[in-house]
Amino acid sequence: MRPTPHKALGAGALTVAAVAALVLPGTPAAAGPATAPAACTPAQVVTNGGFENGTSPWTASSSTVITSRSGQTAHSGGSYAWLDGAGTTRTDTLSQSVTIPSGCAAATLTFWLHTDTAETTSSIAYDKLTAKIGGTTLATYSNLDENTGYVQKSIDVSSFAGQTVTLSFTGTEDSSLQTSFVLDDIALDTSDGPTPPATDATRTPAAPAYTVNLSSDTSGTAWTGHESVTFTNASATALGEVYLRLWDNYHGSCDAMPIKVGNVTGGAAGALSVACTALKIDLPSPLAQGQSATIGFDLGITVPSGADRFGHDGAFSFLGNALPVLAVRDSAGWHLDPYTNNGESFYSLAADFKVTLDHPSTLLVPATGTSTDTPGSSGRTVTTATAAKVRDFAWAAGPFTKISGTSAAGVPVNVYSVSGISSTSAQSMLSTARTAVDAHAARFGAYPYGELDAVIDNNYWFGGMEYPGFVLDLVSTTALTHEIGHQWWYGIVGDDEYTSPWLDEAFTDYATDLALGKTGSNCWSSVSWASSAEKISNSMAYWDAHSSRYSTVVYGYGKCALHDLRRVLGDTAMAKLLKDYASAHWYGVSTTAEFKAAAQAATSTDLTSFWTQHRIEG
């Protein structure tokens, strides 16, 4: 979104985390006078288990063991421990002293291990990794445990309660054919009975496929029909429920909801929460990893008055975020953040949509994806839009004026204008869109969404808004170039827009500068930080409380930081970094830590002070 100043809104956050329990046997009572058992204070006793805070308090055999260099990747964040991998006789060690408190019935060591080997044998353990506490071997792994990604290991260490011991990992490699043992997110949790497993960072439910059939009233402001979604649990943690985000209920109230869901199949509807923008659906039985399910429901949408991303400006309706979509569960649990009008709250995984919209033939219906029109019943048209690997679906309806063209690279571009937009302005926006889509594609990768629709209305209060293959905008070359840039930075390279808005807005404003030939030479001419708490990487929870600073810092200072990074790396290296980063996260999700690690891998200059100076944390 490219915002204009508007009224500040309050915001809160609700995160629900699910944990599983492991019950361990109790300890027999000792003979003699009764004494109160030692109290257990649940704790996680490994320090810096994700290696994100330097090397302390770990002791490593080499300065290269704890690293963020290229060649391997972290399980989460940007750093990890890499033992061996030389292809010659080698021993690497990693250790730290930990105190396992007494009085706790359970203590569990967990870590994520990726074993990467060039050994070809299926029977001989040439290279080994040994995990120990003190002199006790807990587990041994070898080249025979090769895997394509990380695997979580879990070991009961409750017998060491009350002791201060050395936790160590030793990798030994023979004289030829490398084996790399890559460790990350090491934890040792203690508790009085049930012990929660280490957080599963896998994003789920994955690979959603939505099928939607809706019919509108004569004006296109009311839509009714049915929606279903099939999804898969990608996580090793069972999936017992899902949440639908009914985002546009923000634009009404719980007593008068614009988005209504009923007659749920494939699960039991629970309570609405987060101002009626989140609906819990309990599944009939938990889905194990790799299992799929389908839920369906009747859907009613009532578009309110107003030139908004969900609203109607007279005869012209705009339906952004109107379709319920699945919330994401990751290492933070379920993401059930509140709606923000100041920016975006949206965090969704790439999905496939097939949406059928039955409407009066007097209305044109631009939509996400590639659309085809077929005759419906008397005086009506059925628009069928299909879209692959998109994070959301949006459409509009009204007696628009449509003009079309094709970019030099072959992308079909359509401009839909409300009444009052001159033909000269519409043609200018078509030219801008054709140029912008090719400029961004040349820098970050080919545009994958088929056609691109731009819906133009100078009454939008918000400036502009992006959806996959579909943007809402004013007559503005800069704004439209920005919204089209979002096709890459949010659409193709996703992010949690509530937690890390800079990852899409700053990157898109930087891309806009490049497309318009701006170098950011005067970026910091009037910089003024409001407080020590103000950071480019702050979440929408912060910006909703400091809304007047959101655009200045996230858009303005954010793109300036990227211009500065380009000056540190050099133009060629920066261009390669962003194109490679987009490719590596194509249809995936970007995090601040991952981008910082990628940037560091692109230069021999230590960027630690750069991130501190530019107030980018994560």
Side-chain angles (χ1 to χ4, degrees):
M1 185 166 78
R2 190 170 182 86
T4 55
H6 57 278
K7 182 178 178 181
L9 298 168
L14 172 65
T15 303
V16 179
V19 296
L22 172 66
V23 179
L24 298 178
T27 302
T35 58
C40 174
T41 302
Q44 196 291 102
V45 301
V46 170
T47 302
N48 192 23
F51 309 107
E52 301 302 319
N53 300 313
T55 60
S56 180
W58 293 100
T59 299
S61 57
S62 166
S63 61
T64 62
V65 169
I66 296 175
T67 184
S68 59
R69 68 186 190 275
S70 60
Q72 298 290 342
T73 58
H75 173 255
S76 66
S79 298
Y80 51 90
W82 185 351
L83 284 72
D84 298 338
T88 59
T89 302
R90 183 184 181 91
T91 297
D92 280 333
T93 60
L94 179 71
S95 64
Q96 93 168 235
S97 177
V98 296
T99 299
I100 304 175
S102 59
C104 292
T108 304
L109 171 68
T110 56
F111 54 90
W112 291 83
L113 172 64
H114 170 52
T115 305
D116 170 30
T117 187
E119 299 283 4
T120 58
T121 179
S122 60
S123 59
I124 302 173
Y126 289 114
D127 309 314
K128 297 179 182 180
L129 175 73
T130 303
K132 289 185 175 183
I133 279 188
T136 303
T137 297
L138 302 175
T140 300
Y141 310 95
S142 74
N143 51 279
L144 300 178
D145 296 298
E146 180 184 15
N147 44 65
T148 56
Y150 279 91
V151 175
Q152 190 183 35
K153 306 298 182 182
S154 180
I155 303 168
D156 178 13
V157 293
S158 54
S159 61
F160 296 92
Q163 300 181 41
T164 297
V165 292
T166 298
L167 169 66
S168 66
F169 298 88
T170 301
T172 57
E173 194 172 20
D174 71 355
S175 59
S176 65
L177 298 178
Q178 74 86 23
T179 299
S180 296
F181 298 104
V182 189
L183 295 162
D184 203 357
D185 295 329
I186 302 170
L188 201 164
D189 289 285
T190 63
S191 68
D192 192 10
T195 301
T199 303
D200 185 346
T202 303
R203 299 178 180 99
T204 200
Y210 295 87
T211 302
V212 184
N213 293 278
L214 296 173
S215 180
S216 81
D217 64 357
T218 56
S219 66
T221 59
W223 299 78
T224 56
H226 191 267
E227 177 177 341
S228 65
V229 55
T230 299
F231 52 88
T232 300
N233 180 22
S235 168
T237 303
L239 189 67
E241 73 285 328
V242 296
Y243 286 84
L244 292 173
R245 295 314 307 260
L246 283 55
W247 287 115
D248 283 335
N249 279 344
Y250 166 89
H251 298 275
S253 69
C254 290
D255 293 329
M257 294 184 290
I259 310 298
K260 293 183 178 179
V261 167
N263 297 322
V264 175
T265 59
L272 284 159
S273 60
V274 199
C276 294
T277 65
L279 175 62
K280 183 181 181 183
I281 307 290
D282 289 308
L283 302 178
S285 58
L287 294 182
Q289 188 174 34
Q291 289 186 324
S292 300
T294 300
I295 59 171
F297 47 89
D298 293 338
L299 177 62
I301 301 171
T302 304
V303 183
S305 178
D308 209 333
R309 50 192 181 188
F310 178 62
H312 69 87
D313 183 10
F316 301 93
S317 294
F318 315 107
L319 293 100
N321 308 110
L323 292 183
V325 294
L326 292 171
V328 177
R329 191 187 76 187
D330 61 14
S331 59
W334 284 105
H335 283 257
L336 302 177
D337 299 307
Y339 185 102
T340 175
N341 222 17
N342 197 28
E344 288 84 41
S345 303
F346 316 127
Y347 176 24
S348 53
L349 303 183
D352 295 339
F353 284 82
K354 181 177 181 180
V355 180
T356 302
L357 302 167
D358 184 325
H359 56 89
S361 299
T362 53
L363 305 180
L364 296 183
V365 181
T368 290
T370 301
S371 297
T372 58
D373 289 341
T374 56
S377 58
S378 178
R380 296 182 69 87
T381 296
V382 177
T383 297
T384 301
T386 56
K389 304 297 184 184
V390 296
R391 299 182 191 280
D392 201 354
F393 184 97
W395 73 101
F400 295 103
T401 298
K402 176 185 178 183
I403 59 174
S404 301
T406 304
S407 77
V411 177
V413 179
N414 306 302
V415 170
Y416 295 81
S417 302
V418 304
S419 54
I421 303 295
S422 70
S423 60
T424 300
S425 292
Q427 287 291 344
S428 173
M429 291 300 92
L430 178 61
S431 177
T432 293
R434 292 167 60 195
T435 300
V437 70
D438 284 354
H440 295 315
R443 288 186 172 90
F444 310 124
Y447 179 76
Y449 296 143
E451 65 191 31
L452 172 64
D453 294 337
V455 181
I456 308 299
D457 185 340
N458 277 334
N459 291 329
Y460 295 140
W461 67 263
F462 48 85
M465 181 63 197
E466 70 280 0
Y467 296 97
F470 177 98
V471 299
L472 307 174
D473 223 319
L474 310 171
V475 176
S476 167
T477 295
T478 300
L480 186 56
T481 302
H482 175 96
E483 302 312 332
I484 292 173
H486 271 305
Q487 300 303 307
W488 283 263
W489 304 107
Y490 139 80
I492 297 167
V493 180
D495 64 284
D496 178 348
E497 293 184 297
Y498 190 86
T499 299
S500 303
W502 89 283
L503 286 173
D504 54 278
E505 296 299 358
F507 280 59
T508 296
D509 240 21
Y510 175 77
T512 302
D513 274 5
L514 296 183
L516 298 179
K518 298 178 180 180
T519 64
S521 57
N522 297 315
C523 260
W524 301 107
S525 59
S526 58
V527 64
S528 176
W529 297 99
S531 72
S532 61
E534 187 171 83
K535 297 177 174 63
I536 289 172
S537 54
N538 280 349
S539 74
M540 287 308 306
Y542 177 90
W543 298 118
D544 278 343
H546 305 82
S547 60
S548 65
R549 297 288 295 167
Y550 171 60
S551 179
T552 297
V553 177
V554 172
Y555 291 68
Y557 297 176
K559 76 173 179 182
C560 289
L562 292 173
H563 279 299
D564 282 357
L565 182 62
R566 173 174 53 82
R567 283 183 270 271
V568 172
L569 271 59
D571 291 357
T572 301
M574 182 66 168
K576 184 177 188 303
L577 166 64
L578 289 180
K579 193 160 193 175
D580 289 350
Y581 190 79
S583 177
H585 292 78
W586 205 260
Y587 302 137
V589 175
S590 169
T591 67
T592 298
E594 288 172 339
F595 178 71
K596 288 169 67 175
Q600 184 59 76
T603 179
S604 59
T605 301
D606 186 344
L607 295 176
T608 302
S609 62
F610 179 93
W611 306 122
T612 301
Q613 176 189 354
H614 290 81
R615 300 194 182 198
I616 296 172
E617 297 180 351

